[in-house]
Amino acid sequence: MKLDPLSKEILNCLQENARASYAEIGRKVGLTSPAVAERIKKLEDLGVITGYQAKIAYAKLGYQLKAMVTLRAFVGKLKPFLEQVKSYEEVINCYRITGNENIIMEVVIKDQMHLENFIDRLIVYGEARTHIVLSKVAGSNSLINPKKQ
């Protein structure tokens, strides 16, 4: 599906602030509130917009570190891990991937000891590698941002 530049701008606005009013979005993209509402409804009906969610400041909840953790599962341990990972409160996102590792997880952790305990829970399933996130470089909306195309 190909989106026109205005729809891309509306998606960009929603990704920045999903609670923005139609009027606010309209001012940014040059449309009336009803036109914005109509476009958003169409994007929802087409399945382009699948939901809305809150962005959480994990540091405010005591999770001071973010890490990307890969797992290379031991033979016979991938399926049990896929069931267990759903219960890990530290895991924000978890993906099956290609390559030497089977899994990559985005996790939030409170401190170094918390990270150590988390890794200890993983090593029964496979070989884990941890990469501490220093900063965010780009957002998730880079594919639809019309200014970048």
Side-chain angles (χ1 to χ4, degrees), residues 6-115:
L6 280 175
S7 293
K8 290 179 182 182
E9 285 187 59
I10 290 169
L11 288 173
N12 192 35
C13 289
L14 288 172
Q15 284 188 310
E16 288 175 14
N17 179 7
R19 297 183 75 183
S21 68
Y22 296 145
E24 185 179 342
I25 294 170
R27 282 190 294 276
K28 289 182 179 181
V29 302
L31 292 175
T32 64
S33 295
V36 169
E38 185 178 317
R39 281 179 178 260
I40 289 174
K41 174 77 170 110
K42 183 177 178 182
L43 291 166
E44 290 171 343
D45 291 345
L46 291 171
V48 173
I49 297 174
T50 59
Y52 300 87
Q53 59 189 156
K55 293 180 182 177
I56 299 169
Y58 291 100
K60 300 266 187 195
L61 299 173
Y63 296 93
Q64 300 301 318
L65 298 171
K66 184 180 276 191
M68 302 304 285
V69 180
T70 60
L71 183 75
R72 183 177 185 179
F74 297 141
V75 174
K77 293 291 187 173
L78 182 59
K79 285 189 180 185
F81 171 79
L82 293 174
E83 286 303 313
Q84 185 63 39
V85 71
K86 296 172 187 173
S87 70
Y88 294 159
E89 71 175 20
E90 299 89 351
V91 177
I92 299 171
N93 290 300
C94 180
Y95 305 96
R96 285 187 70 176
I97 58 172
T98 61
N100 291 330
E101 287 87 10
N102 307 95
I103 299 291
I104 188 166
M105 295 170 277
E106 180 182 7
V107 302
V108 289
I109 46 184
K110 295 179 179 184
D111 53 33
Q112 203 169 345
M113 184 57 70
H114 188 185
L115 176 60

Side-chain angles (χ1 to χ4, degrees), residues 64 114 120 136 145:
Q64 300 301 318
H114 188 185
D120 286 348
K136 184 175 180 178
N145 189 338

